[in-house]
Amino acid sequence: MTPRPRIHVARALIGAPSVKRQAQQVTAAGDVQSAQDGCVAVARTHVPMATQQALRFLTVSTNWMAAQGRFAEAERPWRALDPDRRRAAREGLVVQWWKYGLFGPDQIGALPGYLAAGLGPTAALRAYRMLEIAGAFDDRARDRLIRALTRSRAFHWKAARAFKVGGAGILLNRQEDTPEIARILSDKRNRREIARAPDIAAQAIRHGWADTPAIRRADAVAQHLRAASDSLWQRLSDPHLSVAVVGNSPKERGLGKGPEIDAHNVVIRFNLASVPAPSRADYGARTSIIVCNTDTVRLVRKAEASLEAAIVTGLDMMRQNPSVAQMHGLIADGYQLARVPEADETRLIEALGAPSSSGLQIILSLLSARGGASGLSFYGFGLTDQIGENRSSANFARKTSPSFRHNWTGEKLLFDSLTEAEMTNDRPLPAAPRQEQPQAAPMKALRFKLAGDHAKYHCGSAAVADYIKRKIRGHGVLVDGDEYEVLVVNGEGSMHHDTPAFVNKMKLMESALDSGRKVLLINTLWQQNSNAYDHVLKRLDQIVVREKLSQIDLRENHGIEAQVIPDLSYSAPVKTVPMPFAPKGKVLLTDFYSQDLGAFVILNGGPLRKLPYVDMRKLSWNQMVTLLKRNEMLITGRHHAVYAACKARVPFVSTRGNSHKIEGIFASAGVEIPMLDSLRDIEPAMAWARANRQAYDDLFDWLGEQPDWRIELGP
């Protein structure tokens, strides 16, 4: 019997290699749309494995398009999959609209039909929130949400719990009082989600539905934000107070406005803890108020000592906030955290059809509070200078690319309108809907090449390489040959003391730059290198070091500013794996760097040799972290072993190596954990580790607050 055609096609596509790899091969040649069309055809076959792989590629490739502002192209394959008939197509569109801020009338108008046809819990919550934010959450949507919450009683996986708590939050915001809300917020299984939602936690505490330390912290954050916001905006409403609002556009370079900016009573900056010294002549040095979002709230601790307050923005900050614990810690340490009035956020979304940037939110709130622009000065707001063919960097302090989640053209129109007219709270904002920029050429995948793949060295390096590759595939395809546009160099521990590996990597970067490619140096150590390659460093699109000492070396000895992000092994996902025959409750041992031999060595004598030995070359990263979680302590000379211990939250004793890479971790976190110069001092070092658990917890907590690496390609 001849198999049905769709099964035959699916079997051919499932064959070696895989749908995902075939799509990537087509994409590597530059034809993204052909790859997407092939995946749409596969997804229609209903063959589970092939469909899953095809949908995964559609998600990744449409994100490439949306990230470049090519929204119509990003929607095309989902619409070809027929959202009226297939839930996967509906979910792909809704999640994409939410992620990239597409809140226009076409999107909002489609949501009720998609909800009626059926969406999974994550997409459904996004759809209901978009309706609420756009002011389109009517009685029909309310009734449908209540029915969905009732039907979801039996489901308790993570996405379903988030949907139930988020849905309850929407109803609470409408002053609804239904038994379903009380049932959801009283359910112990939903406590983690409630603790990430300050507004919902406050209601849960007030009604006695839930009360745990984490929920009380979220409630405290909500109460503080409310009080601090009222106080701050009352102060900023004083028309006699001069306020400088300083954006991050490079448009002020060379104009020498720094003293003028610093002369204001209040200086507001965005996502910038301090102004780099070379930019202070143009952008000033003072910071009175820092504006950050929930992903960058950690910057508050790095800000100037004169900081008066921080304004935290975020569309879902009060409903789904992963930074509640960080914010509570800042509040406990005396920082004043405020937020933008919700009404101003809503007005901007209605005018723009998209979430607004923090800059425009602050400008509208200041103008509304003061009744006009008297006493206000605006610097560094180009808005549209970061998009288009001749775009500049999105940040004067470093090379960055813009987020197309924001409607930059519309924001420019609103900025000009707001700053040229008297502002009142009841004055309607002019409509400035998103206009997609015409694209001259079809979308081509960005091709990346990775240099510095040390996966074969040990499991820590393998975790780093896997993480970098995963990040790259979110932006384009990874190629092995010379046909690439972006070179990503994983520096790791090789960039010190002018080693041959350092020289080779610098020459490789110089060659790539000379051939017109973009080059990123990431996850790197930097210590005591000569100035022979400073001309290369100045041309790089991104420099990310692993710790503070490397950042200081680059700044003081080379005049280069670098971003600090901990070693990427810490960011790599970890799963607990079965290890039934592994040691438990012991002190574990790895190898150490011998200064005399210039290499890592394994102890073969003394009392430490009796301890269980951990060979990082024979374990996976999952196994390494799982093993450490089962045991009391680690003694190591390995940088990545320290990170594994931090991931497992297990104390460790470390010895010095051939660079400052471990010392740099401690300096970055501001913790004082001693290091061994000699293993003869191991007993007092172990006693110190057992007696000073708080120092390790401070390090573990600091690492947990650090950002993930983001690919920044600049203009």
Side-chain angles (χ1 to χ4, degrees):
M1 181 176 177
T2 304
R4 287 180 293 177
R6 69 177 188 180
I7 301 294
H8 179 73
V9 171
R11 284 175 178 165
L13 285 166
I14 292 173
S18 67
V19 175
K20 178 180 176 183
R21 188 167 295 277
Q22 286 193 30
Q24 288 183 341
Q25 289 172 351
V26 175
T27 305
D31 193 351
V32 179
Q33 290 194 357
S34 293
Q36 290 176 334
D37 291 342
C39 286
V40 169
V42 173
R44 288 173 172 165
T45 64
H46 302 291
V47 177
M49 183 186 300
T51 298
Q52 185 180 25
Q53 292 176 347
L55 292 175
R56 188 175 297 135
F57 178 76
L58 286 180
T59 300
V60 170
S61 60
T62 54
N63 279 335
W64 298 341
M65 293 173 165
Q68 295 188 26
R70 303 171 77 127
F71 301 118
E73 291 178 67
E75 288 188 10
R76 185 193 64 84
W78 295 120
R79 295 199 180 279
L81 197 55
D82 192 356
D84 292 333
R85 295 180 56 196
R86 292 181 175 85
R87 193 177 92 172
R90 295 192 292 273
E91 292 181 349
L93 286 169
V94 171
V95 171
Q96 188 169 289
W97 292 343
W98 173 266
K99 182 175 182 179
Y100 293 99
L102 301 172
F103 289 15
D106 292 342
Q107 288 82 17
I108 299 300
L111 292 176
Y114 288 2
L115 285 164
L119 292 170
T122 299
L125 179 57
R126 298 289 182 252
Y128 283 118
R129 279 290 286 137
M130 288 174 67
L131 290 172
E132 181 189 20
I133 291 165
F137 190 88
D138 55 16
D139 289 341
R140 180 178 293 183
R142 168 196 174 275
D143 294 341
R144 182 175 289 120
L145 175 57
I146 291 175
R147 287 197 301 271
L149 292 174
T150 304
R151 286 197 304 267
S152 66
R153 288 186 180 188
F155 304 111
H156 298 289
W157 65 86
K158 184 177 180 181
R161 290 196 302 268
F163 171 73
K164 287 186 282 189
V165 173
I170 293 172
L171 296 175
L172 283 170
N173 195 46
R174 287 170 51 91
Q175 308 299 319
E176 299 281 353
D177 186 13
T178 68
E180 201 61 32
I181 296 175
R183 184 192 63 78
I184 290 170
L185 300 187
S186 300
D187 191 333
K188 294 181 179 180
R189 290 167 292 197
N190 296 331
R191 287 177 176 175
R192 178 172 295 182
E193 282 69 31
I194 296 171
R196 293 160 63 97
D199 271 353
I200 300 172
Q203 294 284 353
I205 292 285
R206 185 164 67 87
H207 289 88
W209 291 327
D211 188 356
T212 67
I215 293 174
R216 285 196 295 273
R217 286 195 294 269
D219 174 48
V221 169
Q223 305 303 331
H224 174 92
L225 284 170
R226 192 172 295 112
S229 299
D230 290 344
S231 175
L232 178 63
W233 290 110
Q234 178 65 35
R235 176 171 181 267
L236 292 176
S237 68
D238 182 356
H240 302 293
L241 197 71
S242 63
V243 180
V245 186
V246 188
N248 292 330
S249 166
K251 65 178 294 185
E252 309 295 351
R253 283 178 179 165
L255 300 183
K257 294 184 179 179
E260 178 184 321
I261 291 171
D262 285 341
H264 288 76
N265 299 129
V266 175
V267 179
I268 301 176
R269 301 187 189 275
F270 298 85
N271 291 319
L272 194 66
S274 62
V275 180
S279 300
R280 291 178 180 175
D282 298 323
Y283 289 85
R286 288 183 55 231
T287 302
S288 310
I289 297 173
I290 184 174
V291 182
C292 53
N293 56 47
T294 52
D295 292 332
T296 59
V297 70
R298 67 188 179 281
L299 294 174
V300 174
R301 292 193 186 278
K302 301 179 181 179
E304 306 268 337
S306 59
L307 188 72
E308 297 176 21
I311 300 175
V312 186
T313 63
L315 191 60
D316 247 12
M317 179 176 70
M318 304 303 288
R319 303 283 186 86
Q320 198 171 30
N321 184 350
S323 302
V324 168
Q326 287 187 56
M327 293 174 67
H328 184 267
L330 289 167
I331 293 166
D333 290 341
Y335 291 95
Q336 294 296 304
L337 303 186
R339 60 172 301 197
V340 171
E342 191 172 356
D344 292 336
E345 268 189 291
T346 303
R347 292 175 70 195
L348 287 169
I349 290 173
E350 290 174 352
L352 294 165
S356 60
S357 66
S358 298
L360 203 61
Q361 291 178 41
I362 296 301
I363 290 169
L364 177 61
S365 296
L366 284 169
L367 291 168
S368 299
R370 299 164 71 98
S374 176
L376 297 177
S377 302
F378 305 104
Y379 306 87
F381 283 93
L383 300 172
T384 55
D385 57 353
Q386 58 190 320
I387 60 176
E389 291 184 4
N390 299 314
R391 63 182 183 267
S392 66
S393 171
N395 193 299
F396 69 84
R398 63 183 189 276
K399 294 181 180 179
T400 60
S401 49
S403 165
F404 282 96
R405 179 174 171 80
H406 303 306
N407 174 5
W408 295 114
T409 304
E411 292 209 5
K412 175 62 174 172
L413 292 172
L414 278 184
F415 175 82
D416 293 340
S417 174
L418 290 172
T419 54
E420 290 173 2
E422 291 299 310
M423 188 68 218
T424 60
N425 286 324
D426 57 354
R427 175 173 172 260
L429 298 178
R434 191 193 293 269
Q435 301 292 330
E436 183 162 354
Q437 300 297 314
Q439 304 295 337
M443 172 78 182
K444 291 188 176 181
L446 203 56
R447 290 171 292 188
F448 290 78
K449 182 174 182 177
L450 173 62
D453 182 348
H454 306 297
K456 295 182 179 179
Y457 190 40
H458 57 56
C459 63
S461 295
V464 168
D466 288 344
Y467 181 82
I468 295 173
K469 291 173 183 176
R470 188 180 301 111
K471 282 285 191 177
I472 286 174
R473 290 181 182 123
H475 290 75
V477 293
L478 190 62
V479 299
D480 295 325
D482 292 329
E483 297 297 322
Y484 64 91
E485 289 86 33
V486 183
L487 176 66
V488 179
V489 178
N490 173 31
E492 282 211 44
S494 58
M495 310 297 276
H496 64 96
H497 299 97
D498 286 339
T499 62
F502 160 80
V503 173
N504 290 338
K505 288 181 178 178
M506 294 306 300
K507 287 182 176 179
L508 178 64
M509 288 188 283
E510 183 174 22
S511 175
L513 288 167
D514 290 343
S515 60
R517 276 103 169 215
K518 291 183 176 294
V519 180
L520 286 59
L521 174 60
I522 64 165
N523 196 54
T524 190
L525 166 75
W526 192 276
Q527 183 177 358
Q528 295 184 19
N529 294 307
S530 69
N531 299 97
Y533 293 98
D534 284 5
H535 63 289
V536 176
L537 293 173
K538 292 174 182 177
R539 297 167 63 193
L540 297 180
D541 292 272
Q542 185 180 33
I543 302 178
V544 179
V545 296
R546 302 186 296 189
E547 29 70 31
K548 185 177 181 179
L549 299 183
S550 292
Q551 183 189 46
I552 293 171
D553 190 317
L554 276 167
R555 179 188 299 133
E556 294 184 351
N557 299 322
H558 305 270
I560 298 294
E561 287 294 330
Q563 185 181 6
V564 174
I565 295 178
D567 187 87
L568 298 182
S569 62
Y570 188 84
S571 299
V574 171
K575 294 181 179 179
T576 300
V577 294
M579 300 186 71
F581 302 109
K584 188 173 183 180
K586 305 290 186 181
V587 176
L588 304 180
L589 186 73
T590 73
D591 48 353
F592 303 88
Y593 185 80
S594 168
Q595 300 287 349
D596 295 332
L597 300 176
F600 279 88
V601 297
I602 300 172
L603 293 181
N604 57 11
L608 292 181
R609 67 181 176 83
K610 298 180 181 179
L611 298 178
Y613 176 72
V614 179
D615 190 342
M616 296 181 68
R617 295 170 299 179
K618 296 181 179 179
L619 297 176
S620 69
W621 190 242
N622 288 335
Q623 290 172 326
M624 181 72 184
V625 176
T626 299
L627 177 62
L628 290 174
K629 286 180 179 179
R630 294 164 51 96
N631 287 280
E632 177 197 0
M633 187 183 299
L634 176 69
I635 303 174
T636 185
R638 288 278 183 188
H639 170 258
H640 283 106
V642 168
Y643 272 104
C646 291
K647 195 75 175 177
R649 297 187 71 93
V650 169
F652 56 86
V653 175
S654 57
T655 61
R656 299 187 190 278
N658 61 346
S659 68
H660 60 221
K661 52 192 173 186
I662 297 179
E663 296 96 312
I665 304 172
F666 305 154
S668 302
V671 297
E672 296 183 0
I673 296 177
M675 293 187 66
L676 289 181
D677 293 309
S678 169
L679 288 175
R680 288 189 292 270
D681 301 323
I682 189 62
E683 290 296 337
M686 292 172 63
W688 189 94
R690 290 187 174 103
N692 291 273
R693 173 71 196 208
Q694 187 59 50
Y696 293 97
D697 285 341
D698 290 344
L699 172 60
F700 304 154
D701 292 344
W702 178 85
L703 283 168
E705 295 174 356
Q706 300 314 296
D708 289 339
W709 169 57
R710 290 179 54 190
I711 293 176
E712 292 285 3
L713 298 177

